[in-house]
Amino acid sequence: METAVVVVIGADKPGIVAGISSKLAEKNVNIVDISQTVLRGIFSMIMIVDLDTGHVSVGQLREELQRRGKELGVEVLVFHGEVFKFMERI
Amino acid sequence: MKYSAEEIAEVINMLTHEDLDIRSVTLSINTLFAVSDVPERTLEKLSLLRPVLSRFSEVVNSVQDKLGVNIVTRRVAVSPVQYFLEPYPDVKYAVKLGGFLDSLATDTGIDYIGGFSAYADRGIGRGTQVMLEGLAETMNSTSRLSGMLNAASTQEGLNVDAVKLFTAQLLKMSPHASSRVAIMANSPQDSPFVPSAHHGRGMPNSSINIAVSGPGVVAGAIRRARPTTFQELYEVIKKASFKVTRLGELVGRVVSEELGVPMGSVDLSLAPSPKVGDSVAEIIEAMGISRVGGHGSLTALAILMDAVKKGGSMATNLVGGLSSAFIPVSEDSIMAMRMREGYLELNDLLAMSAVCNSGIDMVGVPRDEGPEKIAALILDVLSLGLMLNKIVGVRVIPVEGKPGEEMDLGGLLGKVVVAKMKDVDSSQFTSRNGFIPTPVKRLELG
């Protein structure tokens, strides 16, 4: 499975999860893991998504999600899953 | 694969706040197929590289986009020009060849092309002689070409004549030109860093070599862990270095696969940049030396070097290049600041070179100090390499300025601080000709 890690950070408000996940759904990208917290009004979410099901490259997905993030007023970071596998697993 | 939120946060923090990036992806390529005694024929054959370099540049951009990891420069290392000049030893041709390589880089989106280089450890061959005679003119008329003269090796000796020829050329160069040349001892054959990068002997026809950055990651790890014993300090650096190198290994493997060129080596060196938080000196200061240059700096650097090697070597299949802690003064904002403040002097850098492979790198020297004194400084560094069987180099920038003044070269090169040279005449020593014979260490090899 080719995965990407999506990180979303910003001031909490309604619609952030919906805004990001609807974009993923639009691109047929499946969410395989998700964790989300709000600490002192700061929203943070980490998602692992499966790129195999989608019809989009990581670069395009990053561009689309960052555009959506701008509309929502949050910061979106997208990295390839291999980066985490290489750095956090031996 | 599942990761904890802490693991993900750690990687994100390194990539976004601690400036972890890939300093360079370097395509090392055997260009000796183009050697000819007809200069036009050589340039014609070298033109065949154009689509290869363009494709390389595109692949690196696409890998950067795919992984989300910043790749700062794309570089190409070609076979040393000394071999091209052997069958047609002419200074004008040397300059033309350098200009051609430079334009090849400009046209294909390559940041630096390394290989205007030669070996002259014991003697100066025909090709090397004209390369050296045309070095200043070539460098002054190019912007992406880099060159290196290997003037010493533990196996061959230290060629003082070559050092003097090099120094005479260096003094004719503009500051930008001199930032693209180095004089070395025991140069590695697979360096991804400029100016040492060239396609060395005994290498496959092409390979991908990687240079990582990430001093901010090591400094940050030390600050968070606050180790109380030296063993713990070692452990913290080893772990951080493993992760930094691992990112280099990943990028190298992906580029290699997509380009269809074998993966070469990863240089473990923590390359700094003038950005705040991307400094090797900051690591030394995070260890507890309040100003780099203070007593204890050498020990701190020795620990850093050794731990980086131990942690980093496990992260890659092949360690290459200089694999050291780089201490280029202008390219490291804190090194530059401490030099300006007077905590760091040339002899401190010389002492540091005994425990890391950097040598005296990106330091300004007053042009009016003259060739004898600068050659003597170079000899001091190369002698360390000769006697200790180490890779070291010198990249000094002759400038019209007084000690303590600085000159901004821009970008990754940063602000060059003019160092104070000793007010002592060594010209009688350097006036001798010839080379320094191989040291006793040579005998250990047979």
Side-chain angles (χ1 to χ4, degrees), chain B residues 114-133:
Chain B
F116 201 81
S117 306
Y119 283 74
D121 317 359
R122 193 181 294 174
I124 302 174
R126 280 178 297 270
T128 306
Q129 179 73 36
V130 292
M131 173 272 194
L132 274 173
E133 286 174 16

Side-chain angles (χ1 to χ4, degrees), chain B residues 185-406:
Chain B
N186 298 311
S187 170
Q189 305 298 309
D190 59 352
S191 172
F193 284 102
V194 287
S196 53
H198 64 285
H199 186 85
R201 59 178 149 69
M203 292 288 134
N205 282 324
S206 58
S207 61
I208 296 293
N209 298 320
I210 302 290
V212 293
S213 185
V217 171
V218 179
I222 295 170
R223 277 200 206 97
R224 279 190 298 278
R226 298 180 185 199
T228 54
T229 67
F230 284 99
Q231 298 94 308
E232 283 167 22
L233 178 61
Y234 246 90
E235 196 64 15
V236 170
I237 301 169
K238 271 159 59 182
K239 282 184 179 161
S241 167
F242 173 84
K243 290 179 182 178
V244 169
T245 312
R246 201 77 186 132
L247 186 69
E249 177 77 5
L250 169 65
V251 170
R253 284 193 202 178
V254 178
V255 172
S256 150
E257 200 182 306
E258 298 205 358
L259 194 63
V261 165
M263 169 73 184
S265 59
V266 179
D267 189 319
L268 306 180
S269 309
L270 298 168
S273 80
K275 274 192 288 184
V276 172
D278 207 16
S279 154
V280 170
E282 193 183 345
I283 303 175
I284 307 295
E285 298 191 356
M287 283 190 198
I289 309 284
S290 61
R291 303 275 188 280
V292 70
H295 297 300
S297 296
L298 207 65
T299 309
L301 187 62
I303 290 171
L304 172 66
M305 264 304 303
D306 199 50
V308 160
K309 285 182 178 176
K310 286 172 178 165
S313 59
M314 196 180 154
T316 174
N317 275 337
L318 186 63
V319 174
L322 291 99
S323 286
S324 165
F326 279 138
I327 46 171
V329 177
S330 77
E331 295 175 15
D332 186 313
S333 59
I334 295 183
M335 289 293 287
M337 180 164 74
R338 299 305 179 220
M339 184 155 233
R340 249 185 347 259
E341 292 170 348
Y343 293 106
L344 268 180
E345 294 172 6
L346 283 173
N347 277 356
D348 296 315
L349 296 172
L350 195 60
M352 286 175 166
S353 302
V355 296
C356 76
N357 306 31
S358 193
I360 294 183
D361 194 15
M362 290 305 285
V363 178
V365 288
R367 208 181 281 272
D368 57 17
E369 287 285 13
E372 292 84 6
K373 205 179 268 189
I374 295 170
L377 174 70
I378 291 173
L379 287 176
D380 278 350
V381 178
L382 299 191
S383 294
L384 277 178
L386 177 75
M387 296 296 169
L388 302 174
N389 197 14
K390 282 174 66 63
I391 305 168
V392 286
V394 180
R395 186 166 44 150
V396 289
I397 316 292
V399 288
E400 278 81 17
K402 296 271 163 283
E405 290 178 4
E406 60 182 19

Side-chain angles (χ1 to χ4, degrees), chain A residues 2 5 7 33 35 46 48 58-59 62 77-90, chain B residues 1-3 7-8 10-12 14-16 20 65-69 242-243 246-247 249-250 253:
Chain A
E2 190 181 11
V5 173
V7 178
D33 194 13
S35 90
I46 300 169
I48 315 271
V58 193
R62 183 182 302 113
L77 301 167
V78 180
F79 297 97
H80 199 280
E82 285 288 296
V83 173
F84 298 84
K85 194 171 117 189
F86 260 69
M87 291 175 72
E88 293 294 336
R89 296 286 180 272
I90 296 178
Chain B
M1 192 168 280
K2 286 230 168 195
Y3 307 99
E7 287 174 329
I8 291 178
E10 181 188 58
V11 174
I12 303 276
M14 286 181 191
L15 292 168
T16 55
L20 173 58
D65 198 40
K66 178 178 172 182
L67 298 177
V69 174
F242 173 84
K243 290 179 182 178
R246 201 77 186 132
L247 186 69
E249 177 77 5
L250 169 65
R253 284 193 202 178

Side-chain angles (χ1 to χ4, degrees), chain A residues 3-6 30-34 46-50, chain B residues 1-3 8:
Chain A
T3 61
V5 173
V6 178
N30 194 30
I31 301 168
V32 291
D33 194 13
I34 181 166
I46 300 169
M47 283 172 162
I48 315 271
V49 300
D50 180 2
Chain B
M1 192 168 280
K2 286 230 168 195
Y3 307 99
I8 291 178

